């Protein structure tokens, strides 16, 4: 209900608290938020908003989130109206399938189904997911977006894939969505000796941008 929070896990193998959360705000809005690293408090980066807050008529505002046996997630308003969040492209038979909903470590909220009578290692199939493009919607003036700092986000089959640019490696090799660090450390001595131009080059990465956060002032620096 309103005031509740569901946190993602840090990675597929690490079940400690992750960077993403599903929050049901007191005003009736259901939001997905990304946390600014390395802070431990939620920032203002909201990358999905159900817009079910009705300030002029609070009886129409959302107050409860329901995940039903058909795999559908809906918001129930104070006057018992329902508003469906996701619109599945198909409706598998309830009697033949299991359903689950997960806020994954990559920040995607999704509903899945799995045949009850399946044999072998069959994967869960996505019914629907939110948001449609987390690489774009999670970009903000603060924080690192869907991926870690210095990491490039690519959307593949609706999921974010994070990659370090050339010359960078993962800060934590076990966290593919984490931050990237440079493989080398610039030295002032190299500049004073006049060799910096021989040591460094510009690398062009097509179709890539750091929207709203191209630079940051750090003090002291």
């Amino acid at each position: 209900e309103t005031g509740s929070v569901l946190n993602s896990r840090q990675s597929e193998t690490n079940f400690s608290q992750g960077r993403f959360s599903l929050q049901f705000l007191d005003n009736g809005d259901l939001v997905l938020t990304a946390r600014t690293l390395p802070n431990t408090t939620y920032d203002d980066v909201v990358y999905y908003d159900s817009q079910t807050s009705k300030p002029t008529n609070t009886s129409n505002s959302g107050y409860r989130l329901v995940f039903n046996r058909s795999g559908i997630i809906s918001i129930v308003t104070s006057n018992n109206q329902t508003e469906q969040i996701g619109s599945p492209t198909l409706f598998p038979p309830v009697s033949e399938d299991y359903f689950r909903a997960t806020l994954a470590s990559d920040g995607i909220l999704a509903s899945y189904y799995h045949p009850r009578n399946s044999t072998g290692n069959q994967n869960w199939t996505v019914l629907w997911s939110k948001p449609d493009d987390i690489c774009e919607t999670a970009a903000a003036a603060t924080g690192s977006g869907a991926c870690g700092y210095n990491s490039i986000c690519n959307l593949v089959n609706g999921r974010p894939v994070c990659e370090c640019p050339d010359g960078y490696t993962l800060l934590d090799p076990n966290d593919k969505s984490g931050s990237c660090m440079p493989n080398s450390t610039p030295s002032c001595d190299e500049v004073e000796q006049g060799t910096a131009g021989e040591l460094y080059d510009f690398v062009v990465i097509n179709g890539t941008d750091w929207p709203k956060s191209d630079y940051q002032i750090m003090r002291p620096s």
Side-chain angles (χ1 to χ4, degrees):
E1 297 186 352
T2 52
S4 301
V5 178
L6 174 68
N7 295 307
S8 68
R9 55 186 175 185
Q10 185 170 336
S11 68
E12 290 303 306
T13 56
N14 187 341
F15 283 81
S16 58
Q17 183 174 329
R19 293 179 46 229
F20 304 98
S21 70
L22 176 70
Q23 303 183 55
F24 210 155
L25 304 181
D26 291 334
N27 65 5
D29 273 342
L30 185 75
V31 297
L32 287 168
T33 62
R35 201 166 46 209
T36 301
L37 296 173
N39 296 337
T40 57
T41 58
Y42 294 105
D43 60 16
D44 296 328
V45 181
V46 176
Y47 60 94
Y48 170 78
D49 189 338
S50 66
Q51 298 183 346
T52 48
S53 173
K54 311 295 182 183
T56 58
N57 187 357
T58 56
S59 64
N60 291 331
S61 295
Y63 87 98
R64 176 176 292 170
L65 183 69
V66 176
F67 175 53
N68 67 18
R69 63 193 302 253
S70 299
I72 307 300
I73 292 185
S74 302
I75 293 177
V76 180
T77 62
S78 299
N79 57 3
N80 287 326
Q81 300 297 313
T82 60
E83 182 171 330
Q84 187 172 313
I85 292 180
S87 299
T89 56
L90 55 89
F91 289 86
V94 175
S95 60
E96 300 177 7
D97 296 277
Y98 296 111
F99 296 89
R100 71 180 177 94
T102 303
L103 175 60
S105 58
D106 59 10
I108 300 294
L109 176 67
S111 172
Y112 307 81
Y113 74 95
H114 189 289
R116 294 174 183 264
N117 60 356
S118 65
T119 58
N121 187 19
Q122 182 172 339
N123 293 328
W124 289 79
T125 303
V126 177
L127 270 176
W128 61 265
S129 64
K130 292 290 182 181
D132 296 330
D133 187 349
I134 192 174
C135 291
E136 181 178 349
T137 56
T142 59
S144 62
C147 300
Y149 288 109
N150 299 321
S151 183
I152 301 173
C153 183
N154 289 287
L155 197 69
V156 179
N157 297 325
R159 314 296 296 222
V161 175
C162 305
E163 296 177 337
C164 295
D166 290 342
Y168 286 73
T169 54
L170 285 171
L171 187 63
D172 180 0
N174 297 319
D175 186 5
K176 295 182 179 180
S177 299
S179 299
C180 302
M181 61 180 180
N183 295 334
S184 59
T185 303
S187 170
C188 294
D189 294 337
E190 297 167 350
V191 178
E192 294 174 356
Q193 295 172 7
T195 59
E198 300 176 359
L199 295 174
Y200 302 103
D201 293 310
F202 282 104
V203 177
V204 177
I205 308 176
N206 293 323
T208 302
D209 189 18
W210 276 262
K212 304 179 183 179
S213 58
D214 298 85
Y215 63 90
Q216 183 176 18
I217 298 176
M218 304 181 69
R219 301 183 185 279
S221 64

